[in-house]
């Protein structure tokens, strides 16, 4: 199970686009809006603040989703290894409890 990369599927339901690619798309859209606004003479400080806020908010959401997706993927792999269902024959060794002082 892979969680990043264009066109790859996590659970078969929908393609997953990498977080970096999603953020690049958002920034490109914001730059396009700024350029069009500048060409039409309507670019103001308020437009700049709004675009900055949009990129910041969407960027934060993308980061949280990427971290969550990475955790779920890693957790699934750990469970598969612990239950003996993973390919490759990996073994899980339990650590001994730390000695009490």
């Amino acid at each position: 199970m892979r969680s990043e990369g264009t066109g790859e599927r996590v659970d078969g339901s929908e393609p997953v686009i990498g977080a970096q690619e999603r953020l690049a798309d958002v920034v490109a859209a914001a730059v396009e809006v700024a350029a069009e606004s500048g060409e039409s003479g309507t670019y103001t400080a308020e437009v700049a603040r709004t675009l900055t806020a949009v990129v910041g908010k969407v960027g934060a959401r993308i980061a949280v989703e990427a971290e969550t997706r990475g955790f779920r993927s890693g957790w699934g792999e750990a469970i598969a290894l612990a239950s003996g269902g993973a390919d490759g024959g990996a073994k899980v060794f339990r650590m001994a409890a730390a000695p009490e002082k």
Side-chain angles (χ1 to χ4, degrees):
M1 173 190 314
R2 297 191 64 153
S3 60
E4 294 291 329
T6 304
E8 296 178 16
R9 297 178 185 273
V10 173
D11 60 3
S13 62
E14 64 182 78
V16 175
I17 298 173
Q20 182 178 1
E21 294 160 355
R22 289 175 60 201
L23 185 56
D25 288 345
V26 170
V27 171
V31 168
E32 184 178 345
V33 169
E36 290 175 2
S37 181
E39 287 176 357
S40 67
T42 59
Y43 189 82
T44 63
E46 185 62 28
V47 171
R49 282 191 291 276
T50 302
L51 291 174
T52 300
V54 167
V55 171
K57 186 162 259 194
V58 173
R61 186 174 298 145
I62 289 169
V64 167
E65 289 172 1
E67 288 176 8
T68 301
R69 192 170 43 246
F71 175 79
R72 280 194 318 251
S73 175
W75 183 259
E77 291 173 13
I79 295 300
L81 285 171
S83 66
D87 295 333
K91 295 181 182 179
V92 176
F93 294 97
R94 305 268 182 225
M95 294 180 61
E100 291 184 31
K101 293 184 177 181

